[in-house]
Amino acid sequence: MPAASCSAKIHTLPDDVVSRIAAGEVIERPAAVVKELLENSLDAGGLHITIDVKDGGLAFIRVADDGEGINRVDLPRAFERHATSKLRSDRDLASVTTMGFRGEALPSIASVSHVLMTTATRQDTVGSQFALVAGAGGAIVDAPPIPGARIEVSNLFFNQPARKKFLKSTLTEFSHISHVVQLAGLAWPAVHFRLTHNGQEILNYPSVTAERDRILQVYRQAFLDRTIEVRGRAGGLSIRGVMVDPLHSRSSRTPQELFVNRRPIRNATVFHAVMDGYGSFLPKGNHPTFVLFLDIEPNRLDVNVHPTKKEVRFAETEALHQLVRHSVRHALSSSERKVLLSLSQAGLAPTGPEFAPAAERQVASLRDSQPAASISVRRQDSSGVDVSDAVSLSGVGEGNQLAFAHEPVMAYRRAEKFDIVPFGQILRTYLVAQVGEELHVIDQHTAHERVLFQRLWRGWQSRDIPSQPLLIPEPIELSAAQSMLLLKRCDDLEKLGLLIEPFGNSAVAIRGVPVGLGKVDAAVLVQDLLDDLTEWDSASSLELRVQPVLASLACHGAVRAGRPLTLPEIQQLIHDWVQEGLIMTCPHGRRTAFRLSTDELAKLFGRVGWA
Ligand SMILES: Nc1ncnc2c1ncn2[C@@H]1O[C@H](COP(=O)(O)OP(=O)(O)O)[C@@H](O)[C@H]1O
Ligand SMILES: [Mg+2]
């Protein structure tokens, strides 16, 4: 009898637990084998994990770890259905802390392949090796006592020709495998992962302490440069990670990775909340990209909902949505505060000829009425554990306030990039300029619309949108229902700087509009306002009611396409737009500018290689 440790740890789950386990096919392709084996290695505490694959995983997959290993008594049990060391009772199923918990992976893999498992625990002086073909195991033989587990899976699906037919090319199957390894890598930065394909090293992530460094290993500096950090915490929930700065967003959707307690998952609630957090700041057709880590107490999460564990169910979806949305907004607005600070430090306060009527300066000054306390520099800590600057959402009221106080405004973070050299206008619609080191083509209408919107929005936040009277109020004929709708809201509209009065039976007249707007076609504006007000009652928050109205005002007050502009006017408009944070969309989501960086220009003209 070899000197192997023999206390059994693996048990078959009782029937009542088995019956509650989300059933379904666990192994649908080679990447699923790798995912399950990686999870086992991580659950076993492996710190160095090597994955060697041949022919997209169909010919051969080997996962070797230096974790706790399996003792000889347990080895055959590990391949029995519903046998696990991670779960005992129903109660454990309600708060799972390991990646695996169903005892299904090894038997599922073994039943469709040839398996050879070699393993030893730290106490073993002799290791064990166990071979299985289509799930049937032979005798256990001695092996060198190398602590950890090494499992080799060959001829996958050899007894399932139908399944094999559904697989894609070797390259596609391998790309799924490397994605699985990337995800495990992102979630476990302290673990060293190495992946080879047909003998060639494809991925190598040496152990790091900071999550950010692992993101760097996986996605490179170019990705990190385009992102901003997200951090937030509320109740027992926390979120951290990086997401694309809208200024640098692209049409690509990768990466969009979400981890919940280190498990890579897909979740519509979180995705929706991220989109909500970005609001209109992502140009249409651009997608958010992100790597986000959510942590939540295991008992507030059901991981047992999907056969391959790709989905989870949250106990408090509403709180989760709020936290994610607010944290995304907070991250965006933090970058604004950094800009404000760097601008004032660099002495780059707005100057130059005024583009808009003099009265606009009054509104512009609202911008400076931000309380000094809101200007702070965030600590750029990459340890991934500091949540000192996290969003606090303990009270609902507080949460709402936060949303109003930090309307996100994106901006360049380097003040030296603010030099503007305007070249002129093309097609009487687009402005061409050098902004910092970039070539910009700016839509004069949408960019001006964004500037006006940001100013109105700040005015509304500080409860002060001054109104300028219209010299000759113009009566606008409406239906009785329309004029009632408008007049019912006339107090609310007054707070937005819009003065409306009844005029005769069913007509109304606009007596004043917010200061700073250009020439407004009152009749068309009123039509748009009627649309906004129809939605008024159904909007869930005051913020959502006011935004469309302010957007309509900004749109009508902004310089139209087709209007010729002088060079000083162009300079002023671009200056204001840059000052407001170079936001790439108008409040309706249309693009404000098209930008080409020095690098992009150099690439276009073949001045650099393809790298
Ligand atoms: N790499 C490994 N190192 C140590 N133990 C392992 C390893 N892989 C599997 N095991 C053991 O085999 C058991 C069965 O594995 P598996 O079928 O994946 O089910 P589960 O992970 O759900 O428990 C695990 O509970 C664990 O005790
Ligand atoms: Mg497992």
Side-chain angles (χ1 to χ4, degrees):
M1 184 76 190
S5 59
C6 283
S7 56
K9 293 202 315 195
I10 301 180
H11 308 266
T12 304
L13 290 170
D15 285 348
D16 61 323
V17 182
V18 169
S19 66
R20 290 192 44 207
I21 276 172
E25 195 175 11
V26 180
I27 304 302
E28 80 278 20
R29 64 186 343 153
V33 173
V34 175
K35 177 173 191 275
E36 292 294 338
L37 296 182
L38 281 181
E39 289 187 355
N40 281 347
S41 295
L42 291 163
D43 280 343
L47 287 175
H48 296 87
I49 303 180
T50 307
I51 307 103
D52 299 299
V53 170
K54 284 186 192 145
D55 298 342
L58 270 170
F60 180 80
I61 295 170
R62 176 172 55 215
V63 175
D65 66 58
D66 55 353
E68 66 181 12
I70 308 180
N71 68 46
R72 188 163 286 204
V73 178
D74 276 338
L75 190 48
R77 293 187 196 185
F79 289 88
E80 280 168 26
R81 221 155 256 289
H82 305 302
T84 178
S85 58
K86 301 166 194 176
L87 204 73
R88 272 167 195 260
S89 71
D90 233 20
R91 207 159 358 109
D92 299 339
L93 201 55
S95 66
V96 175
T97 55
T98 47
M99 294 292 112
F101 53 90
R102 294 168 178 158
E104 280 190 318
L106 291 185
S108 304
I109 295 168
S111 69
V112 293
S113 66
H114 295 203
V115 165
L116 183 67
M117 167 83 102
T118 313
T119 177
T121 68
R122 301 243 178 292
Q123 295 77 41
D124 290 341
T125 51
V126 178
S128 313
Q129 189 170 68
F130 187 43
L132 303 94
V133 175
I140 293 180
V141 298
D142 288 353
I146 304 165
R150 193 180 72 206
I151 175 162
E152 297 176 1
V153 177
S154 24
N155 307 320
L156 189 61
F157 301 131
F158 78 98
N159 52 356
Q160 287 207 320
R163 162 57 62 199
K164 221 169 166 171
K165 256 191 234 147
F166 279 103
L167 295 179
K168 300 277 187 322
S169 69
T170 303
L171 218 62
T172 306
E173 292 304 330
F174 180 74
S175 77
H176 286 291
I177 290 176
S178 73
H179 187 221
V180 161
V181 177
Q182 284 185 332
L183 293 181
L186 288 166
W188 301 82
V191 176
H192 183 171
F193 292 89
R194 198 170 160 264
L195 168 68
T196 72
H197 190 213
N198 296 332
Q200 196 188 346
E201 183 178 277
I202 307 293
L203 300 177
N204 190 357
Y205 307 145
S207 163
V208 287
T209 42
E211 259 162 11
R212 197 178 167 83
D213 290 337
R214 182 51 61 85
I215 296 175
L216 187 70
Q217 290 171 331
V218 176
Y219 295 117
R220 313 282 165 176
Q221 191 65 45
F223 169 73
L224 268 186
D225 283 347
R226 290 194 279 118
T227 62
I228 47 183
E229 271 188 54
V230 187
R231 258 161 220 274
R233 189 169 47 179
L237 279 166
S238 82
I239 182 172
R240 60 186 189 283
V242 294
M243 59 177 215
V244 72
D245 183 335
L247 205 54
H248 302 297
S249 64
R250 299 276 189 277
S251 57
S252 154
R253 289 173 202 264
T254 32
Q256 287 181 335
E257 306 299 359
L258 171 69
F259 298 84
V260 176
N261 294 355
R262 300 204 192 203
R263 232 177 252 287
I265 61 143
R266 303 259 147 233
N267 184 276
T269 303
V270 174
F271 190 79
H272 184 260
V274 170
M275 292 303 281
D276 243 26
Y278 273 108
S280 71
F281 289 97
L282 273 181
K284 281 228 168 71
N286 281 15
H287 299 286
T289 47
F290 51 82
V291 179
L292 293 175
F293 301 95
L294 269 167
D295 280 321
I296 178 169
E297 286 150 23
N299 61 358
R300 292 162 68 187
L301 185 71
D302 187 359
V303 292
N304 180 29
V305 288
H306 192 272
T308 63
K309 297 168 278 187
K310 277 184 188 127
E311 288 164 21
V312 296
R313 199 176 292 129
F314 296 96
E316 301 113 356
T317 320
E318 192 51 40
L320 174 75
H321 192 280
Q322 269 229 3
L323 171 73
V324 175
R325 175 171 168 269
H326 283 266
S327 304
V328 167
R329 288 212 161 188
H330 184 71
L332 297 173
S333 64
S334 298
S335 70
E336 169 194 34
R337 283 177 291 152
K338 265 181 282 177
V339 176
L340 287 177
L341 190 71
S342 61
L343 275 177
S344 62
Q345 278 173 345
L348 285 174
T351 49
E354 286 297 319
F355 165 69
E360 182 172 351
R361 268 172 258 150
Q362 227 177 310
V363 173
S365 73
L366 293 170
R367 172 177 45 216
D368 308 319
S369 66
Q370 283 219 349
S374 76
I375 300 176
S376 67
V377 186
R378 274 160 60 74
R379 205 143 38 99
Q380 291 295 303
D381 182 347
S382 59
S383 72
V385 288
D386 167 37
V387 285
S388 58
D389 199 24
V391 186
S392 149
L393 291 176
S394 42
V396 176
E398 198 184 338
N400 282 340
Q401 224 178 17
L402 184 89
F404 295 120
H406 303 290
E407 173 64 9
V409 177
M410 266 61 60
Y412 269 148
R413 262 146 277 167
R414 274 161 295 174
E416 70 270 13
K417 284 208 166 187
F418 279 75
D419 281 346
I420 299 163
V421 185
F423 300 116
Q425 189 186 29
I426 47 174
L427 306 169
R428 292 187 173 175
T429 299
Y430 307 106
L431 314 179
V432 183
Q434 182 180 339
V435 176
E437 301 277 285
E438 295 183 331
L439 168 67
H440 283 219
V441 180
I442 297 164
D443 181 312
Q444 64 190 42
H445 174 69
T446 52
H448 193 208
E449 186 181 345
R450 174 53 89 175
V451 169
L452 293 180
F453 177 81
Q454 294 302 108
R455 291 175 179 176
L456 287 169
W457 179 251
R458 269 195 306 276
W460 180 71
Q461 282 178 317
S462 53
R463 314 250 179 291
D464 182 22
I465 304 186
S467 179
Q468 76 189 37
L470 292 187
L471 290 182
I472 312 155
E474 185 190 332
I476 300 154
E477 283 297 333
L478 297 172
S479 71
Q482 285 176 322
S483 77
M484 252 175 68
L485 176 65
L486 211 54
L487 294 172
K488 189 172 122 195
R489 292 286 167 224
C490 115
D491 287 349
D492 295 313
L493 293 175
E494 195 174 329
K495 292 186 187 116
L496 308 180
L498 195 68
L499 309 180
I500 294 188
E501 282 177 0
F503 200 95
N505 271 346
S506 61
V508 297
I510 297 190
R511 296 210 167 270
V513 293
V515 166
L517 264 47
K519 198 173 158 336
V520 175
D521 181 338
V524 190
L525 171 62
V526 163
Q527 282 307 324
D528 277 359
L529 287 175
L530 283 168
D531 289 344
D532 299 333
L533 293 178
T534 318
E535 312 274 303
W536 188 279
D537 287 323
S538 59
S540 54
S541 67
L542 189 56
E543 177 187 10
L544 290 177
R545 270 172 257 177
V546 163
Q547 264 181 7
V549 177
L550 294 182
S552 290
L553 285 170
C555 179
H556 285 279
V559 57
R560 306 263 122 202
R563 194 187 126 188
L565 296 179
T566 64
L567 216 50
E569 285 176 328
I570 293 171
Q571 165 91 36
Q572 183 64 44
L573 199 161
I574 298 178
H575 172 272
D576 291 348
W577 175 72
V578 167
Q579 206 65 40
E580 291 295 346
L582 300 100
I583 303 173
M584 297 305 289
T585 56
C586 81
H588 298 104
R590 272 178 52 209
R591 181 178 282 281
T592 54
F594 175 78
R595 308 152 57 229
L596 280 175
S597 68
T598 324
D599 283 353
E600 284 163 329
L601 283 168
K603 252 185 216 160
L604 272 174
F605 290 101
R607 287 183 176 276
V608 287
W610 296 99

